[in-house]
Amino acid sequence: MSTPTLAELQLTRDVTIRDVQVVDVRFPTSLFRIGSDAVNTDPDYSAAYITLVTDTEEQGYGLTFTLGRGTEVCVLAIQFLAGFVRGRKLSAIVSDFGVFVRELVRDTQFRWLGPEKGVVHLAAAALINAVWDLYARVAGKPVWQLLAEMPSEHLVRLMDFSYITDALTPAEAYEILQAGQVGLAERLAELKRTGVPAYTTSPGWIGLRDDEVRTLCTQAAAQGFRHVKMKVGGAHEEDMRRAALIRSTLPPYMRLMMDANQRWDVGEAIERTRALSVFDPWWMEEPTSPDDILGHAAIRRETGVRIATGEHCQNRVIFKQLLQAGATDVVQIDSCRLAGVNENVTVLLLAAKFGVPVCAHAGGVGLCEYVQHLAAFDYLRVACTFENRVTEFVDHLHEHFTDPVEMVNGHYRLPIAPGYSAQMWDASVAEFQFPHGRAWADHESV
Amino acid sequence: MSTPTLAELQLTRDVTIRDVQVVDVRFPTSLFRIGSDAVNTDPDYSAAYITLVTDTEEQGYGLTFTLGRGTEVCVLAIQFLAGFVRGRKLSAIVSDFGVFVRELVRDTQFRWLGPEKGVVHLAAAALINAVWDLYARVAGKPVWQLLAEMPSEHLVRLMDFSYITDALTPAEAYEILQAGQVGLAERLAELKRTGVPAYTTSPGWIGLRDDEVRTLCTQAAAQGFRHVKMKVGGAHEEDMRRAALIRSTLPPYMRLMMDANQRWDVGEAIERTRALSVFDPWWMEEPTSPDDILGHAAIRRETGVRIATGEHCQNRVIFKQLLQAGATDVVQIDSCRLAGVNENVTVLLLAAKFGVPVCAHAGGVGLCEYVQHLAAFDYLRVACTFENRVTEFVDHLHEHFTDPVEMVNGHYRLPIAPGYSAQMWDASVAEFQFPHGRAWADHESV
């Protein structure tokens, strides 16, 4: 295949990446019990945050999400991977984007630290997300639009099919994407009207008081949400009591999901899920280890409850097997744990091949900003429906972004600014930079 | 269970860990084409190397193995985890060793970077291995002996059973270990006489010339090895040609194993393994992604060739599934990718439960020194047989260790020095410290 022209890449000009700056940014959310669940009891929502400096005024911004301690390890891994973009032209990267991704994840020495999992994959995600932000800015479009307007053959070239061709071939992906051209204009019009359907986890944190739970449930309904997720995996009686409280507070038309955050072994997960099934959960999320494909399959088979997993799924190979084994009813992609847009698009296609809905994981910091683009693209070109598809939403830390998500009637409003929406305000980066930002100087004991 | 006494812990005294020193040590092996295979084309065998400084003259030494670039990322992760041992008494750690391991892998913020995989798990391995070295030194025994003489209930307390109780319960592990007390004295006498049976990969590297291959095959036979492993996954014709060369050079009684180092997708792995099966490989190793449990099962089912995998298996949850799915005939534990001695012992027990032999991965730097202890313990207390069990051996870099492996007639001679055998000479650490050691100053262009 010949090298695409700038016009074919949706670019009117080219830029060269001169430098990669990486900052450790941490928000002391643990002080406010935000984000507490059965496993993650004290997260400080954080990011390894990248700025791609170019030879023009245009810059690209990207991040990978973390929970505080260890962000410095991601920063160091990114500093190594930065060598793969420094000095390169944007067009040279995006014209063979799948090849670029393979370079990042297959450095013959660095690969040993994964391969394609954990720290090195989180680092690759941050860098790939930053390149997408830059790409979309130079193209003058939000990422969802850049993707949606891409010819199917270009989309196929984004992906790394290695280790998944027994489940999805490039030709099959192409077919799915071509089918997604049909009715595209109508779906786009609909999407502009209503946005991406979302659910909220805000009333569901384990650390909340009962009156807070009631207030947040009522608020969620008033805000137009039709789905609420609660955390489980605490003491069994307490899970049951909170589930009863939330279920009875929510209007009957609203769906309740449950999230155990990997708290249980397989046997216990089966027992606890069966017991909690009296509250009619729309799904049970992460009932056990995210690595346990066969375990998820067993829990699904034994309980009859819909199973959801994915925010800790390390790469496309695990998602492939979850689908092959019939282990999950809901594919929860994470925009920063998979290697950026490219591997997320790959998993959207895998899920479509198996007819399983994708409901992206979000929350933390920056994840909501990212996944709205992926969900919009999934609707426009891959799944082509929102049936059984809702994207997570959690309402905090959006104020630190220059182009924050906007929620209207329980939907993400389609973003219109060019880029991938995860640029932070300079003032926020300065204030929350770890450990020398003002926010941390004020909490030295943390 | 009450806290064990020092005597019950096989200790006559206690020490306090005062400091944790970590060094990035890299050997420029890529300059000599050592270790070349289809995926790892230019490894610089390296280690994040730990010294535990105590309040006595006794120190503990541990490492995790890497391929060069990225070792600094492991070093930084270890520096974080060091906080879990600094200032603690040895007895406080080892008297509830399983709890200590859980602390390391479940820090509520750091865990997000795994969980239990990749960089953070390699870092945990280095630290846990160093604690074992210190433990065995203070106990005055090599690690294999410390383990072999441990009561079954103490061994059970070393392990983290979370996420594996659907395959192996503490009670089942206890039963297996108790059964391993029967005939222990006879096996120990045998082990002292013959050592741990090994195989060699030295003649099998892809980068070797034909005359080198022939010489090394002949040497292997003369040295008493009965098993040789070759690397495959290059061009198909070249794989076939080299396999024919090696098979025809080796005496007929010697077994030939093949290692594809994850080079293939599932479909290609099936085709290539079928073609190579004419050379009667005793196993085909890592035919595809190490994350692909179902893929390994399919390759095994479709080819009828014995499948081996594990050196890249991130944790006990993946090994559990490989066994549950009947995906592998050989469990290849890695002493540094699993979280040190504790998780390796856990996987030995899992393999025993399923009746699948363990043939440890070694080579690199320090891995041979480590796995001889694990294989000896497996023989003495878990598997209780060497049938179909051989441990990898590669002959380089041993000269940098104060207590290097000794090979006699294709067997690892049972180590007798107290500790876990991975202390390096101070002079080696200084010379190969990256990037300021003399070895690297001499090769600045590398």
Side-chain angles (χ1 to χ4, degrees), chain B residues 159-307:
Chain B
M159 302 184 226
D160 180 359
F161 287 88
S162 59
Y163 300 139
I164 62 167
T165 53
D166 54 324
L168 178 75
T169 64
E172 290 169 331
Y174 179 84
E175 286 305 314
I176 294 168
L177 290 161
Q178 282 296 93
Q181 299 277 19
V182 180
L184 180 57
E186 292 74 17
R187 284 194 298 282
L188 181 56
E190 170 74 13
L191 197 55
K192 285 181 172 169
R193 209 163 37 240
T194 61
V196 172
Y199 71 89
T200 177
T201 307
S202 292
W205 303 114
I206 279 182
L208 299 174
R209 294 190 313 270
D210 283 3
D211 61 312
E212 291 175 315
V213 171
R214 275 194 213 93
T215 304
L216 288 163
C217 282
T218 309
Q219 267 179 19
Q223 288 164 347
F225 290 104
R226 303 180 67 87
H227 305 76
V228 162
K229 191 166 80 182
M230 67 174 290
K231 300 292 182 174
V232 295
H236 179 56
E237 297 68 28
E238 185 59 13
D239 280 354
M240 296 292 282
R241 196 188 65 75
R242 286 174 55 251
L245 171 67
I246 295 173
R247 183 65 276 178
S248 65
T249 308
L250 293 175
Y253 67 86
M254 286 184 73
R255 284 170 166 166
L256 173 63
M257 294 91 93
M258 297 180 181
D259 183 357
N261 287 92
Q262 315 166 26
R263 194 67 179 77
W264 303 317
D265 282 20
V266 174
E268 190 178 11
I270 292 170
E271 280 174 38
R272 299 282 290 267
T273 302
R274 276 189 187 140
L276 286 161
S277 70
V278 299
F279 301 105
D280 192 24
W282 194 45
W283 74 52
M284 175 60 77
E285 178 173 332
E286 286 203 317
T288 191
S289 163
D291 305 341
D292 199 348
I293 297 142
L294 302 179
H296 280 87
I299 297 162
R300 180 170 181 261
R301 194 172 55 238
E302 296 294 323
T303 64
V305 172
R306 294 174 79 239
I307 300 299

Side-chain angles (χ1 to χ4, degrees), chain B residues 18-54:
Chain B
R18 288 280 181 233
D19 196 18
V20 180
Q21 297 168 350
V22 197
V23 185
D24 182 338
V25 181
R26 307 190 191 185
F27 300 92
T29 43
S30 62
L31 297 177
F32 312 103
R33 288 174 307 139
I34 286 173
S36 58
D37 63 47
V39 169
N40 310 297
T41 51
D42 61 347
D44 286 326
Y45 287 162
S46 304
Y49 181 72
I50 294 177
T51 303
L52 298 179
V53 180
T54 75

Side-chain angles (χ1 to χ4, degrees), chain A residues 113-431:
Chain A
L113 308 183
E116 299 189 59
K117 59 180 65 77
V119 168
V120 297
H121 222 47
L122 292 164
L127 196 56
I128 292 166
N129 286 336
V131 170
W132 274 96
D133 184 63
L134 179 64
Y135 183 13
R137 284 169 192 267
V138 177
K141 298 172 186 178
V143 159
W144 67 261
Q145 186 183 355
L146 180 62
L147 285 168
E149 294 180 357
M150 224 173 248
S152 301
E153 56 268 34
H154 287 192
L155 286 165
V156 168
R157 289 181 76 181
L158 298 178
M159 301 183 229
D160 181 357
F161 286 89
S162 58
Y163 300 139
I164 61 167
T165 52
D166 54 324
L168 178 76
T169 64
E172 290 169 332
Y174 179 85
E175 287 303 315
I176 293 168
L177 290 161
Q178 283 296 93
Q181 299 277 18
V182 179
L184 180 57
E186 292 74 18
R187 285 194 298 280
L188 181 55
E190 171 75 13
L191 197 57
K192 286 182 173 168
R193 210 163 37 239
T194 60
V196 172
Y199 72 87
T200 177
T201 307
S202 293
W205 303 114
I206 279 182
L208 298 173
R209 294 191 312 271
D210 284 3
D211 61 312
E212 290 175 315
V213 170
R214 277 193 212 93
T215 304
L216 288 164
C217 282
T218 309
Q219 267 181 18
Q223 287 166 345
F225 288 104
R226 303 180 67 88
H227 305 76
V228 162
K229 190 167 81 182
M230 67 173 290
K231 299 292 182 176
V232 296
H236 180 55
E237 297 68 28
E238 185 59 12
D239 280 355
M240 295 293 281
R241 197 189 65 75
R242 287 174 53 253
L245 172 66
I246 294 173
R247 182 65 275 177
S248 65
T249 309
L250 293 175
Y253 68 85
M254 285 183 73
R255 284 172 166 163
L256 173 63
M257 293 92 92
M258 297 179 181
D259 183 357
N261 288 92
Q262 315 168 26
R263 195 67 179 78
W264 302 317
D265 281 19
V266 173
E268 190 178 10
I270 291 170
E271 280 174 38
R272 301 282 291 264
T273 302
R274 276 189 189 140
L276 285 162
S277 71
V278 298
F279 301 106
D280 193 25
W282 194 45
W283 75 51
M284 176 61 77
E285 180 172 333
E286 285 202 317
T288 191
S289 163
D291 305 342
D292 198 348
I293 297 142
L294 302 179
H296 280 86
I299 297 162
R300 181 170 180 261
R301 195 172 57 237
E302 296 295 321
T303 64
V305 173
R306 295 175 77 240
I307 300 299
T309 195
E311 77 177 66
H312 276 81
C313 273
Q314 63 208 34
N315 58 38
R316 69 196 174 284
V317 182
I318 300 292
F319 275 115
K320 176 189 78 166
Q321 294 174 84
L322 285 168
L323 293 163
Q324 288 174 322
T328 194
D329 298 277
V330 183
V331 165
Q332 298 181 298
I333 53 172
D334 184 289
S335 53
C336 298
R337 195 172 288 280
L338 295 174
V341 172
N342 306 59
E343 196 171 26
N344 271 287
V345 167
T346 308
V347 173
L348 293 181
L349 269 296
L350 269 171
K353 165 82 186 290
F354 284 86
V356 173
V358 175
C359 300
H361 168 245
V365 58
L367 299 183
C368 295
E369 277 66 23
Y370 277 156
V371 296
Q372 58 182 341
H373 292 268
L374 301 172
F377 170 68
D378 190 35
Y379 176 65
L380 290 171
R381 287 289 297 276
V382 185
C384 301
T385 173
F386 278 129
E387 196 182 342
N388 290 333
R389 285 160 175 89
V390 279
T391 295
E392 189 164 18
F393 171 70
V394 188
D395 192 12
H396 44 71
L397 304 179
H398 302 295
E399 65 275 20
H400 299 294
F401 291 89
T402 60
D403 181 29
V405 296
E406 269 188 84
M407 300 305 289
V408 176
N409 194 29
H411 289 65
Y412 284 91
R413 201 158 160 182
L414 201 58
I416 51 174
Y420 199 12
S421 306
Q423 180 184 356
M424 287 191 210
W425 294 109
D426 290 347
S428 292
V429 174
E431 181 174 354

